[in-house]
Amino acid sequence: QVQLVESGGGWVQPGGSLRLSCAASGFTLGNYAVGWFRQAPGKEREGLSCINSNDGKTYYSDSVKGRFTISRDNAKNTVYLQMNSLKPEDTAVYYCAAGGITCYYEYEYWGQGTQVTVSS
């Protein structure tokens, strides 16, 4: 069964850190570009970061650049999103998606999401 599962979400105080994981089953995640997205209540889905499959090149939105880091461990079939200096406005459901070999391809697989709440 082809599946993407996010984990690592939770509650954190402003300024804190979380590491999200995106684990694949049923396919080799290393063959795909993987992106991270988020959606807050009442807002549109926002693309945050992406990592290519072929060359490992990474991309970040302006809203998370310098605070979030995307990485992959092909041996574990997992992609991570390290989130530092978290702000209340980072509160959202975070999703990962996989598709193509570069971040310019359409995403084929989506996870179910993990909630991140940043508050004091």
Side-chain angles (χ1 to χ4, degrees):
Q1 181 182 4
V2 172
Q3 198 172 11
L4 280 176
V5 178
E6 301 95 338
S7 62
W11 173 82
V12 64
Q13 292 186 332
S17 298
L18 285 174
R19 188 179 77 158
L20 304 184
S21 298
C22 172
S25 59
F27 69 105
T28 302
L29 193 58
N31 292 338
Y32 293 84
V34 176
W36 282 98
F37 300 79
R38 68 186 177 192
Q39 188 164 21
K43 294 189 176 181
E44 292 187 355
R45 187 175 65 199
E46 177 187 10
L48 305 176
S49 182
C50 185
I51 184 167
N52 285 349
S53 167
N54 56 341
D55 59 7
K57 190 172 182 179
T58 58
Y59 302 87
Y60 298 93
S61 67
D62 288 342
S63 63
V64 305
K65 194 175 298 181
R67 299 189 298 126
F68 291 10
T69 303
I70 191 170
S71 62
R72 65 195 315 154
D73 185 337
N74 290 339
K76 294 184 178 180
N77 220 25
T78 299
V79 168
Y80 303 98
L81 186 69
Q82 177 67 44
M83 307 188 297
N84 299 328
S85 302
L86 283 162
K87 307 173 182 178
E89 51 264 44
D90 293 318
T91 296
V93 178
Y94 284 68
Y95 302 88
C96 64
I101 59 170
T102 74
C103 297
Y104 292 98
Y105 282 70
E106 186 174 341
Y107 292 101
E108 298 179 46
Y109 309 112
W110 289 82
Q112 83 292 345
T114 185
Q115 176 71 46
V116 171
T117 302
V118 184
S119 73
S120 54

